[in-house]
Amino acid sequence: MGFEVTKRQTTYWELRKEETLIRVNFVGKEEFAFVDLSPSAYFFADKHPLLIDYEFPWERIYIGSRVSAFSRVRDRLAEAIESQFDGWRPACDYLNQFGSERVLHDGYGLLLTAPLPVSESCRAVLQDVGAQFSSIPERPSRWPRKAFIVGRNFVVAKAFRVVTIT
């Protein structure tokens, strides 16, 4: 039998398994996602694909030339991005929301904004296809952070406190 998430508030979640009820308090919550009411397990992580966004500085990549086979290049970029996250984050979180394919086709504009490991893999794809591009720093690291993983649900925060209620 798994856990049941019985209460979700902005500063804590409560989980029940049989007769045990625990409350996980969030300290400095950054983000969350809730998709599964009855996850099988939970854990806390100092290293997790979700934490890449916080561990590394970010940069922006701008395109400076047209890219042939732009649809295929966009697919390769999406694969390079998503391979870093084990299904936890989609490529659209980083690619230009107004049309990365258009940017590649037209040959100018902001292509993506991402943490360094992600942008490095995208730069490798762009170099491989001979695209002209430039990159500039976007924002610094926001480290340290931790992840509270509850099945496919999660919370990223500065810290967590666990209290057994019953």
Side-chain angles (χ1 to χ4, degrees), residues 53-103:
D53 281 14
Y54 300 90
E55 185 175 359
F56 298 95
W58 284 49
E59 74 176 8
R60 291 178 176 215
I61 295 179
Y62 291 88
I63 291 296
S65 66
R66 291 187 79 175
V67 176
S68 61
F70 56 89
S71 292
R72 176 66 187 128
V73 172
R74 193 251 178 234
D75 291 346
R76 285 183 60 193
L77 289 166
E79 290 168 11
I81 292 167
E82 290 175 355
S83 70
Q84 308 239 354
F85 293 103
D86 276 344
W88 286 95
R89 295 191 191 278
C92 64
D93 285 359
Y94 306 96
L95 292 167
N96 184 326
Q97 65 180 342
F98 299 109
S100 55
E101 201 168 299
R102 180 195 51 78
V103 170

Side-chain angles (χ1 to χ4, degrees), residues 14-80:
E14 289 182 356
L15 289 82
R16 178 177 298 282
K17 183 172 186 175
E18 298 170 1
E19 300 302 315
T20 303
L21 180 65
I22 64 165
R23 177 178 289 171
V24 179
N25 295 291
F26 317 137
V27 179
K29 182 175 76 174
E30 295 278 357
E31 68 171 315
F32 73 96
F34 190 82
V35 296
D36 181 11
L37 189 59
S38 298
S40 59
Y42 74 90
F43 64 94
F44 298 92
D46 293 326
K47 284 287 188 189
H48 190 276
L50 288 167
L51 297 175
I52 292 170
D53 281 14
Y54 300 90
E55 185 175 359
F56 298 95
W58 284 49
E59 74 176 8
R60 291 178 176 215
I61 295 179
Y62 291 88
I63 291 296
S65 66
R66 291 187 79 175
V67 176
S68 61
F70 56 89
S71 292
R72 176 66 187 128
V73 172
R74 193 251 178 234
D75 291 346
R76 285 183 60 193
L77 289 166
E79 290 168 11

